Amino acid sequence: MDDFNWRVVDETLADYLLAHPDIRDRWLLEQTIYTGASRRAMFRQMPFQTAAAVLDIGSGFGALALDLACLPLDLQIRGIDFDDGKIAVARELAVAIRNKGGYHSDSIPKFDEGDVYAMPYTNESFDVVIARFVLQHLTDATRAIEEMRRVLRPGGYVILIDIDENMTVTYPESSAFVDLHGAFIRLQQMRGGDRVIGRKLSTFLQRANFAQVTASAQVLSQHAFIQPNDSAHLFAVRRFLSVRDDLVREGIMSEQDFDLCLTAYANEENTWEFHSSAQVVALGRKPS
Ligand SMILES: C[S@@+](CC[C@H](N)C(=O)[O-])C[C@H]1O[C@@H](n2cnc3c(N)ncnc32)[C@H](O)[C@@H]1O
């Protein structure tokens, strides 16, 4: 698993962003680029056998599928997402990476348009099914997991990766950040999602009758000097800005409060800060 070509993935994603600065859901492409290291760090925990059929549900711009295709395991990879725009981008990226010699075999990841609640695949057709940062957006995670179980072969693995915002800790706390972050969590909740779903993943798997269920939190912590022009800080500012209209429409924040908070957050003084956040990885096996 050590022989990989993720540099090609990184370059291809960065080139795409440069060429398409106004892409819809730009934040997700940016997040895809800058979470590369933590995404890949999980692979060692994952039970991939050579030539396994792997399904990445809610594949977005294809980050996970493209990374996996670079491993020297000849995996047969499919991604599925109900957003046709993201599927089109993922297909384009997959071809660009192949053309630069990024993969180990001739087979490139395939991407299908479809809903995670009713996937266009026959029963028991995958060895591994993965969902990264997807269940937090769903109104019925249990139903999605049942559908994941349906397409898994007996003995196959399900891997769920998601955030738990109650494990996010900052000190000293910026009140502007606390207000914006709280509003952001509330918005997702009002849409039926759940940003504290991380702790629940293994229980979902247990209840869905998966065996050998495990879970672990990946914690990223740092004590760092934060400057307003840090790329992570700028990313957070743009991410909040991307939901401004939704927050106002849903009555979670007034335009004035949002603008005041965002201006305060964007212009915060340089400061030393402790920040910690976590994502949970839960794994289960479909009994043979
Ligand atoms: C935060 S993104 C995560 C993308 C990708 N898994 C990653 O790790 O970068 C969530 C993705 O789930 C997709 N999604 C949400 N609900 C879905 C559904 N019911 N069926 C298919 N895709 C869905 C969205 O379109 C979006 O691309």
Side-chain angles (χ1 to χ4, degrees):
M1 213 193 246
D2 287 328
D3 178 17
F4 41 72
N5 217 349
W6 290 323
R7 189 181 46 78
V8 176
V9 176
D10 290 337
E11 283 170 6
T12 308
L13 290 169
D15 288 350
Y16 194 91
L17 184 61
L18 218 66
H20 303 85
D22 299 324
I23 186 172
R24 190 166 51 82
D25 289 341
R26 179 191 160 104
W27 67 269
L28 180 59
L29 190 53
E30 289 185 280
Q31 186 189 66
T32 298
I33 291 170
Y34 102 91
T35 57
S38 69
R39 196 169 59 238
R40 294 159 188 165
M42 295 174 309
F43 290 168
R44 282 173 192 279
Q45 289 172 251
M46 296 186 180
F48 298 121
Q49 305 276 356
T50 302
V54 180
L55 177 64
D56 175 18
I57 80 157
S59 49
F61 292 119
L64 200 61
L66 299 170
D67 279 349
L68 289 172
C70 293
L71 297 174
L73 292 173
D74 295 335
L75 302 172
Q76 305 298 308
I77 300 164
R78 297 197 91 91
I80 183 168
D81 201 292
F82 66 1
D83 181 333
D84 58 345
K86 292 197 183 77
I87 288 293
V89 175
R91 285 180 181 149
E92 204 177 321
L93 292 168
V95 171
I97 292 166
R98 196 247 338 253
N99 292 346
K100 291 181 197 164
Y103 307 129
H104 277 263
S105 67
D106 292 337
S107 78
I108 76 170
K110 311 247 183 342
F111 292 95
D112 303 313
E113 198 186 322
D115 197 314
V116 301
Y117 295 120
M119 295 191 277
Y121 308 119
T122 51
N123 293 352
E124 304 183 357
S125 41
F126 294 94
D127 300 298
V128 181
V129 180
I130 311 181
R132 176 177 181 260
F133 300 159
V134 180
L135 295 195
Q136 61 171 281
H137 295 287
L138 302 181
T139 50
D140 192 346
T142 302
R143 191 151 69 90
I145 291 168
E146 274 166 21
E147 180 66 352
M148 293 168 82
R149 195 176 196 281
R150 179 186 71 75
V151 301
L152 253 189
R153 291 196 182 117
Y157 288 92
V158 61
I159 302 167
L160 306 177
I161 303 155
D162 231 308
I163 192 158
D164 197 309
E165 291 280 17
N166 280 359
M167 296 189 202
T168 302
V169 180
T170 305
Y171 188 85
E173 264 183 351
S174 134
S175 65
F177 178 78
V178 171
D179 289 352
L180 290 165
H181 192 225
F184 186 72
I185 293 171
R186 176 103 188 88
L187 176 67
Q188 200 156 321
Q189 210 175 30
M190 284 176 74
R191 291 172 168 173
D194 183 356
R195 288 187 73 84
V196 293
I197 200 165
R199 76 196 54 191
K200 304 172 191 169
L201 300 177
S202 49
T203 301
F204 284 141
L205 293 182
Q206 201 71 51
R207 288 184 183 153
N209 293 321
F210 280 93
Q212 299 170 26
V213 174
T214 61
S216 60
Q218 276 194 324
V219 181
L220 292 174
S221 303
Q222 61 174 11
H223 178 67
F225 192 62
I226 306 299
Q227 295 171 285
N229 60 353
D230 278 344
S231 53
H233 192 83
L234 291 174
F235 171 77
V237 170
R238 283 197 299 275
R239 183 69 182 108
F240 288 136
L241 204 52
S242 73
V243 293
R244 178 185 185 275
D245 294 348
D246 297 323
L247 291 173
V248 172
R249 198 177 315 113
E250 298 287 353
I252 298 173
M253 273 181 118
S254 69
E255 282 181 21
Q256 200 187 21
D257 285 349
F258 179 91
D259 294 344
L260 276 173
C261 267
L262 193 75
T263 307
Y265 178 59
N267 296 305
E268 271 174 0
E269 299 282 310
N270 298 348
T271 177
W272 283 97
E273 178 187 280
F274 170 78
H275 182 80
S276 183
S277 62
Q279 62 191 31
V280 177
V281 182
L283 207 128
R285 190 163 198 199
K286 183 169 171 175
S288 301

